[in-house]
Amino acid sequence: MSEVRAETGLSAATLRFWEEQFEQLSPRKDGHGNRYYTKEDVALIKRIKFIRDELKITRIEAIRTELQSDAKHSDSRQRATEILLKLRQQLVDLRTSI
């Protein structure tokens, strides 16, 4: 937790509170209660912090809604990227067959 606190500037209390409020944030804990955050956890923490501090969205429910919106847009971008990659490959295949 200390590394994440140093990287994000957030307090331990804030991190623990966010774990309770955002089900996606669930660091692994050892038998002593030490938390181990994944890269995805840290990225989520930074995204929540950005929403709170930069977008000035402070209500937990509103932050949850913003995160869901991000996920939907991310899925759409992922699908669009996959389609574009397939089209690119088809164009390469066409070019080499001519």
Side-chain angles (χ1 to χ4, degrees):
M1 180 180 271
S2 60
E3 291 173 5
V4 175
R5 287 178 44 220
E7 188 173 341
T8 62
L10 295 168
S11 69
T14 297
L15 291 170
R16 286 191 295 271
F17 176 72
W18 285 359
E19 285 175 32
E20 294 172 3
Q21 299 302 313
F22 301 100
E23 64 184 32
Q24 312 96 305
L25 183 59
S26 56
R28 184 178 60 81
K29 297 177 189 172
D30 66 14
H32 301 288
N34 297 316
R35 290 164 169 79
Y36 296 93
Y37 293 91
T38 64
K39 290 178 185 179
E40 292 80 16
D41 290 332
V42 174
L44 177 60
I45 290 166
K46 288 180 178 180
R47 182 65 188 144
I48 294 168
K49 185 175 190 252
F50 175 83
I51 293 168
R52 184 194 70 179
D53 296 347
E54 302 302 323
L55 300 182
K56 306 294 186 205
I57 298 173
T58 56
R59 289 184 15 257
I60 294 298
E61 190 57 41
I63 294 173
R64 284 190 197 116
T65 300
E66 185 68 24
L67 289 172
Q68 289 172 348
S69 175
D70 282 355
K72 288 177 187 173
H73 287 114
S74 179
D75 288 344
S76 295
R77 282 190 297 266
Q78 178 69 25
R79 282 193 297 272
T81 300
E82 290 170 3
I83 291 168
L84 288 172
L85 287 172
K86 286 179 185 179
L87 286 172
R88 180 177 182 204
Q89 186 58 49
Q90 288 174 349
L91 288 171
V92 168
D93 292 345
L94 278 172
R95 183 182 296 168
T96 57
S97 68
I98 295 177

